[in-house]
Amino acid sequence: MTDADAAHAAAPDAPTGPRTAGTAGTAAAHAALVADLAPTGTLRASVNLGNPVLAQGTPDAPAGITVDLAREIGARLGVPVELLCFDAARKSYEAMATGRADLCFLAVDPAREAEVAFTAPYVVIEGVYAVPRDSALRTPEDVDAPGVRVGVKAGSAYDLHLTRALRHATPVRGAEGVDVFVEQGLEAGAGIRQPMTAYVAAHPELRLIEERFMEIRQAVGTTVARAPETVAFLRATVEELKANGFVADALRRSGRSPELIAPPADPS
């Protein structure tokens, strides 16, 4: 994957006409929703190919749950979808925060909520540590100790979380948390459970600390400047797609477990 700022999917997906759009009960309300969420007439969605649980493929042919969600939201609006593909969450976030994208798929985090209005999560994944096989570190609490350096992917959800949560250990940032962990000989590396499990399986000199250090709540987001009705539409759509099997089916198609689906949003 290149480190270019963004790469576009081959062509915007053609609309098939609007589907019922949740809170948009009238033609006028639907038109206002489209104008607010897709002001260019195309829904521009930023996709993070750096998270293989949620997105796979190439910038020219992306796939996965986030791609399926973007296309479904575009179909409900009745507009084409343009997929802007990035190799890191921070770039995906920056695209939406600066107006280059209308929609993002990111982990809910307080550091992002100043700019992003999130839905409830559609998927929950876990952050875990890898350590050298002979390490004395056995639990996430063990990792947070003086002199422990933790490799993290810069700008990732677990970077943001660990920056706040670690009291004694020191985050060391790089393009990939596991790479900086190995290359610099750090005491631990942080990452998402599924790719970290696969990496450790291929490197017998390492082991996983099985207990998670965080839950990563993946949600749909848009800018906080958008109308309350627009945010309500996105939130209602995500809940419907969790309940009707869409999210489960999308996860299965991409080879991911439907057990990752987030629980229903708290109605309060």
Side-chain angles (χ1 to χ4, degrees), residues 48-65:
N48 175 22
L49 289 174
N51 185 334
V53 177
L54 305 181
Q56 305 87 43
T58 66
D60 289 333
I65 176 65

Side-chain angles (χ1 to χ4, degrees), residues 58-126:
T58 66
D60 289 333
I65 176 65
T66 56
V67 173
D68 290 349
L69 284 170
R71 288 172 173 158
E72 176 64 16
I73 293 169
R76 290 178 178 228
L77 295 175
V79 299
V81 174
E82 183 178 13
L83 302 171
L84 306 175
C85 294
F86 300 87
D87 60 6
R90 70 183 183 279
K91 297 178 183 179
S92 182
Y93 167 80
E94 289 164 1
M96 200 211 60
T98 58
R100 295 170 59 199
D102 307 307
L103 209 62
C104 65
F105 301 88
L106 294 170
V108 179
D109 186 273
R112 293 170 175 163
E113 288 180 307
E115 299 287 345
V116 183
F118 284 108
T119 67
Y122 57 89
V123 157
V124 177
I125 54 182
E126 295 179 331

Side-chain angles (χ1 to χ4, degrees), residues 4 27 63 67 75 83 89-90 100 105 110 121 128 154 161 178 181 188 203 212 232:
V67 173
L83 302 171
R90 70 183 183 279
R100 295 170 59 199
F105 301 88
V128 295
H161 170 79
V178 71
F181 158 55
H203 294 80
R212 72 183 184 226

Side-chain angles (χ1 to χ4, degrees), residues 152-210:
V152 299
K153 183 171 184 172
S156 64
Y158 46 92
D159 176 14
L160 299 176
H161 170 79
L162 292 173
T163 297
R164 294 189 301 270
L166 291 177
R167 294 292 177 263
H168 306 289
T170 302
V172 179
R173 296 170 182 84
E176 293 292 341
V178 71
D179 290 345
V180 71
F181 158 55
V182 171
E183 290 166 4
Q184 296 190 29
L186 307 181
E187 288 71 36
I192 297 166
R193 180 178 294 279
Q194 289 81 356
M196 289 289 276
T197 299
Y199 188 89
V200 167
H203 294 80
E205 71 278 13
L206 305 177
R207 63 176 169 82
L208 209 64
I209 293 179
E210 289 294 336

